[in-house]
Amino acid sequence: KPTDIPFFQTVIIMSLACDRCGYKSNEVKSGGAIRDQGCRLSVKLEKDLDLARDVLKTDTCALSIPEIDLEVGGNALCGRFTTIEGLLTATKEQLDAQSSFFMGDSAESEEKSAVMTFLEKLDDIIALRLPATIILDDPTGCSYVQSLTAPMDDPRLTKEFYTRTYEQNDDLGINDMKVENYGELDVLKEDEEEEEEDEKKKEEQEGKEAKAE
């Protein structure tokens, strides 16, 4: 269903629940077009209110936490509308599940220990025991983090807008889009069709006059 986010835009929230198997999924899509610039949102996690901020993360949005050298690609987590805490928890659960799948029971104890230490650091960030900054980088510019002081500037929230690279536009399919003079092309086509129709009617009229003579 369409949902309006204050001081941002409309998003589409899609929810699926299977009565037979119990499978559930929630996904969020931006209700607007790709923006002219990408955006980079940085949030300093210092208080409980920071963990409770609303977050819209699109499919293309990457997540990073420099303090623990964490980088999660844009397509690693599906689009979702949640909180900072919810996003961090989902990231931790996915990393935990993937590490168990790829390493398995035969993994060296040192590898398992390193993964456990990393996950514990994420727990410390969620519990605000470890100061950290969460960065959301979205080339479409459609991701969002709630400001606690909107419409005034939020001291712990930084927004940066940047020009996408050619590679980023290519990944988004923008380079193949025809967006310039689109309306003009439609008008020209309509004018040509009208001229052809008028010419056809003129020829038919002339043919009738010639037969009458």
Side-chain angles (χ1 to χ4, degrees), residues 118-136:
F118 189 83
L119 295 177
E120 287 173 0
K121 288 182 179 180
L122 270 176
D123 281 332
D124 289 339
I125 291 175
I126 294 173
L128 296 178
R129 292 190 294 266
L130 177 62
T133 301
I134 182 171
I135 301 173
L136 299 177

Side-chain angles (χ1 to χ4, degrees), residues 4 23 32 51 54 58-59 65 67 84 94 96 99 101 116 126 140 156 174 180 185 189-190 199:
D4 292 326
Y23 174 78
L51 294 173
D54 289 333
T58 67
D59 294 334
I65 303 177
E67 288 81 359
I84 291 285
Q94 182 156 327
D96 189 14
S99 63
F101 176 78
M116 292 303 298
I126 294 173
T140 67
R156 296 194 298 279
I174 296 176
E180 295 181 357
L185 290 175
K189 187 176 181 180
E190 290 177 0
E199 187 67 27

